[in-house]
Amino acid sequence: MCKTAQVTQAMIGYFEGDLRRINHLLKVFAYASTIGQLEMLDPPTQRVLELAALTHDIGIKVSERKYGSASGLDQQREGPAEAEMLLHALQVDPDVTQRVCWLIAHHHTYDHLTGLDYQILVEADFLVNMDEDGMSEASIRTIGKQIFRTAAGLDLLRSLYPFCAEP
């Protein structure tokens, strides 16, 4: 069985009954996978990106339990250990797991977006959050200008929010 399918199934089980979070991770996965393929990532980087997209918010449950909050910083702090346990149980390669955990630990940190997998994960998460959070046109424009760098991510942003195509 494909590791991506196993991780998808495991994450749906992890968030069992929480349709909002399950749908969020599936949407981020779809955008990340699409952008990565359009940007022609090499297969190992694409695999890391897809697993990171599926697990990027895994720290939410622990954060809410420990801190009463699902803040981005708390997610970054708590997510890697949760992801490492899940990925280890599914026998994901340790090098892949290490990079996925690094991405989880940084996916709400937007200065110094290094690595195409990191850039794409952040873009995909924003594409979903813009809709789910009901962001204003001004906020979407600002994020588009400050964060989006990939041609595929920019194309999707402009297709979803045509006002971003304006100068």
Side-chain angles (χ1 to χ4, degrees):
M1 182 189 301
C2 171
K3 291 294 181 198
T4 303
Q6 289 178 303
V7 172
T8 301
Q9 181 180 38
M11 286 303 297
I12 290 170
Y14 185 83
F15 285 121
E16 182 177 16
D18 191 341
L19 293 177
R20 184 174 59 90
R21 292 203 172 119
I22 292 167
N23 287 327
H24 176 83
L25 73 89
L26 292 173
K27 289 185 278 187
V28 172
F29 168 76
Y31 281 128
S33 180
T34 300
I35 295 169
Q37 290 176 49
L38 291 170
E39 293 293 323
M40 295 184 283
L41 292 182
D42 60 89
T45 305
Q46 182 75 24
R47 187 168 26 263
V48 166
L49 171 63
E50 290 178 357
L51 296 180
L54 289 166
T55 58
H56 75 283
D57 282 344
I58 197 169
I60 286 176
K61 286 174 65 172
V62 174
S63 297
E64 288 177 334
R65 190 171 58 248
K66 284 176 87 171
Y67 312 111
S69 162
S71 79
L73 293 177
D74 291 337
Q75 289 178 45
Q76 290 183 149
R77 183 181 312 118
E78 300 300 333
E82 287 289 292
E84 186 172 16
M85 286 188 296
L86 183 135
L87 297 172
H88 177 74
L90 295 174
Q91 300 177 331
V92 172
D93 179 89
D95 290 336
V96 171
T97 297
Q98 181 180 20
R99 180 64 179 171
V100 168
C101 289
W102 187 91
L103 290 168
I104 292 167
H106 294 86
H107 80 280
H108 284 289
T109 303
Y110 311 123
D111 54 348
H112 304 98
L113 292 172
T114 56
L116 209 44
D117 52 359
Y118 185 16
Q119 178 69 43
I120 293 169
L121 177 61
V122 169
E123 289 179 8
D125 198 23
F126 267 119
L127 287 173
V128 176
N129 287 335
M130 287 170 174
D131 174 54
E132 290 180 349
D133 295 347
M135 288 186 190
S136 70
E137 184 175 314
S139 294
I140 293 169
R141 282 181 192 267
T142 299
I143 292 166
K145 288 177 183 170
Q146 292 179 348
I147 301 294
F148 282 69
R149 298 287 175 264
T150 68
L154 284 163
D155 186 57
L156 288 172
L157 175 70
R158 292 173 184 140
S159 292
L160 294 167
Y161 303 100
F163 55 79
C164 288
E166 302 167 11

